[in-house]
């Protein structure tokens, strides 16, 4: 009798486990399309100074779809990426690397649009990854009067997140390509740049582009990686040209958090690298094809291109997620467009 009960118990346990696995797989593959569109935002775009842009994007989406929009603000790249992967968000605005990671985690994730360049096309849909240093320390990073990656050895550095395109993947790729040619660094890989000891004396992560910049300006690091578009609300060029190595930027006197603690501080660009623009990405399982198509039409419309609450005029003095430059607008984009970043992150 005991033996029979043991067999029955075993069968029941197996049945329960199989049922749970089946339900888990079904849940992962079949997200429910509902009347709420949830948008996950990276830490860079979750600040209070970006609220007007987020709200306007939410408003036009509600108008186009007839659904309520909920904004999911985050303090960590991984949270935003996993939220989209796990069908807990319909949309996310994320860097190319974050999109690639999300796509690898759930094939239902597709790019929606990216902001173009001044031409209004994808030909110049680029922003810039910076390696920045303090102005007074610039001679410590030069060889024969020119900035050199050779001088990064045993310096402290701040990155954004290892899921950040311009705040880690692009600069780390450039650094590795340079150092693998040098004796003692032939086997250098991205993981070696995530902590001190191999190349750098110390490695910090700011968790946002703003946070990485503040690490530099607070003297917590000697070098910092961050991008132009994520800090343009807070700084002005005071010497040189925008996005040129050697140019100096100064934090505005009325800069919002987290730059309010370093107002008036200056930094200098040691290195500038073009990067593919960041996409809005959609989870088709959670959003549904019908709303995906509606949002493609909405985002690529002249109405949105001319909406000054979304594409803020550069001379307005207002903060925003996107600033109007030339014929800038949103353009539809395919997955293959991000292949150059895929190659860097392999």
């Amino acid at each position: 009798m005991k033996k029979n009960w043991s067999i029955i118990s075993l069968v029941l346990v197996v049945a329960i486990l199989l049922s749970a696995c089946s339900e888990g797989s079904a849940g992962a593959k079949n997200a429910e399309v509902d009347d709420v569109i949830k948008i996950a935002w990276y830490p860079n775009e979750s600040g209070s100074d970006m609220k007007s842009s987020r709200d306007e994007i939410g408003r036009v989406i509600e108008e186009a779809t007839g659904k309520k929009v909920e904004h999911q603000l985050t303090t960590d790249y991984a949270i935003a990426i996993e939220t989209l992967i796990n069908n807990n968000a319909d949309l996310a605005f994320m860097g190319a690397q974050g999109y690639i990671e999300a796509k690898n985690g759930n094939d239902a994730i597709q790019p929606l649009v990216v902001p173009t360049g001044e031409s209004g096309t994808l030909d110049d849909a680029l922003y810039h990854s910076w390696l920045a240093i303090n102005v007074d320390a610039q001679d410590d990073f030069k060889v024969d009067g020119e900035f050199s990656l050779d001088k990064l050895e045993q310096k402290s550095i701040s990155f954004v997140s290892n899921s950040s395109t311009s705040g880690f993947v692009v600069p780390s790729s450039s650094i590795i390509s340079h150092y693998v040619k040098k004796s003692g660094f032939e086997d250098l890989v991205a993981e070696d740049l995530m902590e001190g000891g191999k190349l750098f004396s110390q490695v910090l992560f700011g968790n946002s582009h703003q946070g990485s910049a503040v690490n530099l300006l607070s003297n917590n690091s000697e070098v910092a990686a961050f991008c132009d578009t994520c800090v343009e609300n807070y700084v002005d060029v005071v010497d040189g040209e925008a996005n040129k190595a050697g140019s100096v930027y100064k934090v505005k006197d009325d800069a919002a958090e987290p730059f309010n603690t370093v107002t008036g501080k200056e930094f200098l660009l040691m290195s500038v690298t073009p990067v593919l623009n960041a996409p809005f990405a959609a989870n088709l399982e959670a959003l549904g094809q019908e709303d995906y198509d509606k949002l493609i039409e909405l985002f690529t419309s002249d109405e949105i291109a001319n909406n000054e609450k979304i594409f803020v005029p550069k001379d307005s003095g207002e903060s925003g997620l996107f600033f109007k430059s030339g014929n800038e607008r949103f353009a539809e984009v395919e997955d293959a467009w991000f292949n150059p970043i895929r190659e860097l992150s392999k």
Side-chain angles (χ1 to χ4, degrees):
M1 188 70 175
K2 288 182 179 178
K3 184 177 181 181
N4 289 341
W5 274 114
S6 297
I7 293 172
I8 291 170
S9 298
L10 180 60
V11 170
L12 286 173
V13 169
V14 172
I16 290 168
L17 289 173
L18 288 173
S19 174
C21 289
S22 175
E23 288 176 6
S25 297
K29 292 179 181 177
N30 299 304
E32 182 181 350
V33 176
D34 57 24
D35 292 330
V36 178
I37 294 177
K38 301 182 183 71
I39 308 176
W41 298 95
Y42 272 1
N44 315 308
E45 290 78 38
S46 290
S48 59
D49 56 319
M50 305 288 185
K51 185 177 186 301
S52 59
S53 288
R54 293 192 306 264
D55 287 349
E56 182 65 8
I57 289 170
R59 185 193 70 78
V60 296
I61 289 175
E62 287 182 342
E63 192 175 85
T65 63
K67 295 184 175 182
K68 180 182 177 182
V69 167
E70 290 182 1
H71 299 285
Q72 299 179 331
L73 309 184
T74 67
T75 56
D76 187 275
Y77 274 53
I79 292 173
I81 294 168
E82 288 300 318
T83 297
L84 191 65
I85 288 174
N86 294 329
N87 300 328
N88 292 319
D90 301 85
L91 301 173
F93 181 62
M94 56 208 322
Q97 177 63 21
Y99 161 72
I100 290 165
E101 291 181 16
K103 178 72 171 174
N104 289 341
N106 186 341
D107 196 49
I109 292 166
Q110 297 290 337
L112 190 72
V113 293
V114 297
T116 70
E118 292 186 5
S119 69
T121 71
L122 296 178
D123 292 343
D124 55 351
L126 302 167
Y127 64 115
H128 299 86
S129 171
W130 292 345
L131 284 179
I133 56 178
N134 283 306
V135 176
D136 294 342
Q138 59 182 293
D139 289 340
D140 295 338
F141 294 88
K142 291 180 178 179
V143 174
D144 297 329
E146 299 291 332
F147 289 110
S148 172
L149 297 180
D150 286 342
K151 305 299 284 186
L152 293 179
E153 189 174 347
Q154 292 309 304
K155 295 293 197 299
S156 58
I157 191 167
S158 175
F159 291 112
V160 175
S161 160
N162 60 5
S163 293
S164 172
T165 310
S166 56
F168 182 75
V169 174
V170 168
S172 66
S173 177
S174 297
I175 292 167
I176 290 168
S177 295
H178 179 84
Y179 272 89
V180 292
K181 301 170 187 175
K182 297 169 66 70
S183 177
F185 294 102
E186 295 90 347
D187 299 323
L188 193 70
V189 294
E191 287 75 12
D192 296 326
L193 305 191
M194 294 182 191
E195 58 184 14
K198 180 70 173 181
L199 176 63
F200 301 117
S201 62
Q202 182 184 21
V203 177
L204 303 175
F205 286 94
N207 296 320
S208 69
H209 288 264
Q210 295 91 331
S212 187
V214 170
N215 276 339
L216 172 70
L217 294 168
S218 301
N219 295 315
N220 291 323
S221 70
E222 296 169 276
V223 189
F226 51 96
C227 79
D228 60 336
T229 56
C230 288
V231 301
E232 62 186 337
N233 285 324
Y234 315 95
V235 302
D236 290 316
V237 181
V238 293
D239 186 18
E241 298 179 38
N243 289 309
K244 298 291 184 184
S247 294
V248 177
Y249 287 73
K250 183 177 181 179
V251 179
K252 296 176 181 179
D253 291 336
D254 60 350
E257 292 183 354
F259 287 88
N260 60 319
T261 61
V262 290
T263 55
K265 292 287 187 72
E266 295 182 347
F267 61 86
L268 181 146
L269 304 185
M270 173 186 174
S271 172
V272 178
T273 306
V275 185
L276 294 176
N277 272 352
F280 277 95
N283 181 324
L284 283 179
E285 290 175 348
L287 180 66
Q289 187 68 46
E290 182 179 351
D291 284 329
Y292 179 83
D293 293 339
K294 286 180 181 178
L295 293 183
I296 290 283
E297 183 177 357
L298 169 69
F299 273 79
T300 58
S301 67
D302 290 340
E303 175 189 356
I304 297 302
N306 297 322
N307 186 324
E308 294 189 352
K309 291 182 179 179
I310 295 176
F311 285 101
V312 179
K314 282 210 168 188
D315 58 357
S316 68
E318 299 294 324
S319 295
L321 290 172
F322 309 100
F323 289 91
K324 190 72 170 183
S325 182
N327 295 317
E328 186 175 358
R329 59 189 299 127
F330 290 121
E332 188 174 357
V333 67
E334 296 181 352
D335 175 78
W337 192 69
F338 300 98
N339 284 345
I341 302 299
R342 279 194 177 92
E343 292 301 315
L344 290 181
S345 58
K346 282 183 178 178

